[in-house]
Amino acid sequence: EVQLVESGGGLVQAGGSLRLSCAASGFTFDDYAIGWFRQAPGKEREGVSCISSSDGRTYYADSVKGRFTISSDNAKNTVYLQMSSLKPDDTAVYSCAADLRGCDPIVVVSTTPGYWGQGTQVTVSS
């Protein structure tokens, strides 16, 4: 059974940092792209970041470039999203997703990733 379990969300002041973790199980980690999308109330889903576990290539949305860093620990089957210089606009539910086809199904709004987790709430206060 495929499982993606997110952790690390919470409440932080603007300018602060959080690190999200996504623990994956039930599939061959190295074969998949794994990333994050977020959704705030009343807003469209946004692909935030993605990493290809096989070659380490990464993707970042323009809104988070220079502030967020995605990394992968293949030995632990875990992907991390280090978020710094957080802004109130970053407030959303962040969900981890995985797809055998690569990052596009995770970061492109019009597509649906193969698997995703329950999400973790990130709230940034001003």
Side-chain angles (χ1 to χ4, degrees):
E1 178 189 2
V2 172
Q3 283 194 316
L4 297 167
V5 180
E6 304 95 337
S7 61
L11 173 63
V12 64
Q13 287 189 329
S17 300
L18 281 175
R19 188 177 81 155
L20 305 183
S21 299
C22 172
S25 61
F27 60 91
T28 304
F29 190 80
D30 290 356
D31 290 344
Y32 281 68
I34 299 180
W36 298 85
F37 61 86
R38 66 187 181 185
Q39 189 156 24
K43 292 188 178 180
E44 195 175 47
R45 187 188 105 201
E46 180 185 16
V48 175
S49 183
C50 183
I51 185 167
S52 171
S53 296
S54 60
D55 60 14
R57 280 191 286 182
T58 57
Y59 162 89
Y60 295 96
D62 287 343
S63 58
V64 307
K65 277 180 184 174
R67 301 188 297 121
F68 291 11
T69 303
I70 193 169
S71 61
S72 174
D73 185 336
N74 288 22
K76 295 183 178 179
N77 284 7
T78 300
V79 169
Y80 304 97
L81 185 68
Q82 178 67 48
M83 307 186 296
S84 303
S85 301
L86 283 161
K87 306 173 182 179
D89 281 350
D90 295 317
T91 296
V93 174
Y94 285 70
S95 298
C96 176
D99 204 290
L100 193 56
R101 297 167 289 178
C103 281
D104 279 356
I106 296 171
V107 300
V108 176
V109 172
S110 59
T111 59
T112 301
Y115 306 102
W116 60 93
Q118 296 282 1
T120 185
Q121 176 70 45
V122 171
T123 303
V124 184
S125 63
S126 56

